[in-house]
Amino acid sequence: MEFSKKLQQLPAQFFAALVHKVNSALAEGRDVINLGQGNPDQPTPPHIIEALQQAAENPQHHKYSPFRGIAELRQAAADFYKREYNVDIDAQTEVAILGGTKIGLVELPLAVLNPSDYMLLPDPGYPDYLSGVVLGDVNFDVMPLFAENDFLPDYNALSDEVKARAKLLYLNYPNNPTGGTATLEFFEETVRFAKEHNIIVSHDFAYGAIGFDGNKPISFLQAEGAKDVGIEMYTLSKTFNMAGWRIGFAVGNPKIIEAINVIQDHLFCSQFPAVQQAAAIALTSSQDCTIELRATYERRRNVLVDEAQRIGWQVTAPKGSFFAWLPVPFGYTSEQFADLLLDKADIAVAAGNGFGDYGEGFVRVGLLVSEERLREAIMRIEKLKLFH
Ligand SMILES: Cc1ncc(COP(=O)(O)O)c(C=O)c1O
């Protein structure tokens, strides 16, 4: 039996090789410090687990969910946006429940583009955006993200041809992998750009809860007119350490939300209603757990950055997300440096070129181990005497 052509076109999972190498090292009994992955290391807060336990006992939740999710969760998403961002969302028409935002990001091209249409993707960027490109049979142009522009794309640098053919634009702030954050001015410029060129915008707000130095990340929908051109995808995976629960939502422009809902009517019966119920509780109850989580990541970031600078590694502190984007030393490619760290120091990091061509020259480090382990990691790197 042969796989379909479409399946064969899907991009190889770049990080599968890293996972394999790390697992081999672990199997040899080596004490690997894994900074390569993006999986939250903390448990889901107890009040959300209790909400799931109770909801799971309700026979009402054992039936098929309404196709478009339970009303409580759609309302909770709207209430969350009002409370956190002062953004008005209609729970009936402006919310789509997602089984994790990865699904939304992959299915959106299918919902709003035609084969051979073009979308604009950030480079470096979250690799799964490319899965949607292939499944939707569409093309893409990249928007390079440079440190000197705070990892924001420069729309003026795009050619007229690229601007004219773009129909869908993906953004992601706080940014994976660079740790960059967006400003309201940038989102306002995005709305102007999208209106001028008739482009749909989808902002991936996966790290919306994780901004450092007292700066709360801005929602795209806070920009005036944003709802005219786009949507935002929000996941509970990071904000509430619920990555395994597979729950998130999209909010914004009702036409785009309807397009997502129609696609999903054909693909899914929404999520386990008890998970939706617990997600609604997570969004509407005290956010103290998120405040604590953010403080934990900020302490880890400070340890990593201070220690790296102590050994002479010229690194810039990420402003948000739980990743740091660190330059590789002179004379190495991203992959060579990542291999060196694994082979000689038992440290796994993600090579920057796995996030796109403009990621070359960097590695991504996750702040997903304790401060002690981060200190230990830098001490091991210090012994390699790569920095002066
Ligand atoms: C930038 C970004 N977007 C989306 C996701 C997907 O999140 P989920 O499918 O868990 O909602 C991730 C997960 O790592 C991510 O880093």
Side-chain angles (χ1 to χ4, degrees):
M1 189 179 69
E2 267 194 20
F3 288 159
S4 69
K5 289 203 178 71
K6 174 90 64 199
L7 205 72
Q8 292 178 48
Q9 283 164 8
L10 283 170
Q13 247 295 356
F14 184 87
F15 293 104
L18 175 68
V19 171
H20 180 71
K21 280 186 208 166
V22 171
N23 287 343
S24 309
L26 288 171
E28 288 167 22
R30 286 158 56 189
D31 174 26
V32 176
I33 302 179
N34 191 351
L35 308 177
Q37 51 160 17
N39 213 340
D41 63 313
Q42 302 291 304
T44 305
H47 69 283
I48 305 173
I49 297 173
E50 280 160 26
L52 174 69
Q53 285 166 339
Q54 281 178 18
E57 287 182 15
N58 181 350
Q60 197 55 33
H61 292 149
H62 303 165
K63 302 180 176 183
Y64 289 119
S65 164
F67 271 19
R68 295 183 175 195
I70 65 170
E72 288 96 319
L73 180 53
R74 278 188 277 114
Q75 189 58 52
D79 293 347
F80 179 81
Y81 262 72
K82 185 67 189 168
R83 191 192 67 223
E84 295 292 322
Y85 306 110
N86 198 25
V87 168
D88 291 310
I89 296 290
D90 182 301
Q92 298 308 317
T93 58
E94 295 180 342
V95 182
I97 304 301
L98 305 171
T101 48
K102 171 176 167 145
I103 286 178
L105 293 159
V106 172
E107 71 199 358
L108 186 59
L110 225 71
V112 299
L113 297 184
N114 289 310
S116 72
D117 280 348
Y118 273 80
M119 57 189 293
L120 278 168
L121 295 178
D123 183 346
Y126 180 53
D128 288 2
Y129 299 152
L130 295 171
S131 313
V133 167
V134 174
L135 291 176
D137 256 333
V138 300
N139 299 310
F140 71 100
D141 290 304
V142 300
M143 303 177 293
L145 307 185
F146 296 116
E148 48 276 26
N149 200 32
D150 288 331
F151 299 110
L152 300 171
D154 177 0
Y155 300 127
N156 294 322
L158 300 174
S159 73
D160 288 344
E161 188 190 1
V162 164
K163 285 189 254 196
R165 69 189 180 191
K167 297 235 161 74
L168 175 62
L169 158 67
Y170 274 12
L171 294 172
N172 161 227
Y173 294 99
N175 183 254
N176 174 9
T178 67
T181 54
T183 57
L184 188 59
E185 294 70 39
F186 169 71
F187 281 150
E188 285 168 352
E189 186 194 347
T190 300
V191 172
R192 279 195 299 276
F193 174 69
K195 286 192 172 176
E196 187 182 341
H197 299 282
N198 207 8
I199 302 172
I200 292 173
V201 178
S202 174
H203 180 234
D204 175 358
F205 207 23
Y207 300 91
I210 312 171
F212 300 135
D213 308 312
N215 296 314
K216 183 179 167 103
I218 292 168
S219 159
F220 172 62
L221 298 180
Q222 283 174 273
E224 207 182 322
K227 223 197 271 179
D228 299 338
V229 297
I231 59 165
E232 187 156 82
M233 307 240 187
Y234 197 96
T235 178
L236 282 81
S237 295
K238 327 283 172 175
T239 306
F240 303 104
N241 295 320
M242 291 170 70
W245 298 49
R246 311 311 304 135
I247 192 80
F249 55 88
V251 280
N253 183 284
K255 269 200 165 159
I256 306 170
I257 293 295
E258 177 64 14
I260 292 175
N261 276 329
V262 170
I263 281 271
Q264 297 207 138
D265 288 346
H266 292 268
L267 290 172
F268 312 110
C269 267
S270 201
Q271 296 306 99
F272 178 28
V275 164
Q276 295 187 55
Q277 183 73 46
I281 302 276
L283 292 168
T284 51
S285 50
S286 158
Q287 303 294 296
D288 287 355
C289 54
T290 306
I291 295 169
E292 258 174 56
L293 185 67
R294 182 164 48 241
T296 300
Y297 289 136
E298 184 156 345
R299 280 196 304 274
R300 291 175 180 178
R301 177 204 66 162
N302 293 344
V303 165
L304 178 80
V305 169
D306 291 351
E307 287 296 287
Q309 286 173 346
R310 180 184 63 73
I311 68 164
W313 196 349
Q314 303 293 329
V315 305
T316 313
K319 294 180 181 167
S321 84
F322 50 50
F323 298 113
W325 188 236
L326 309 182
V328 305
F330 183 73
Y332 290 87
T333 66
S334 295
E335 271 189 278
Q336 285 167 344
F337 182 55
D339 283 343
L340 177 86
L341 292 185
L342 188 57
D343 295 342
K344 298 278 191 278
D346 287 339
I347 294 166
V349 297
N353 57 316
F355 302 92
D357 291 347
Y358 289 90
E360 180 52 54
F362 292 86
V363 290
R364 190 193 73 178
V365 165
L367 302 169
L368 300 165
V369 298
S370 67
E371 291 169 51
E372 291 69 37
R373 292 292 271 176
L374 286 169
R375 253 190 215 101
E376 160 85 22
I378 298 290
M379 265 153 51
R380 290 188 195 175
I381 296 173
E382 185 178 17
K383 290 199 184 115
L384 302 177
K385 300 199 186 320
L386 297 164
F387 304 99
H388 302 290

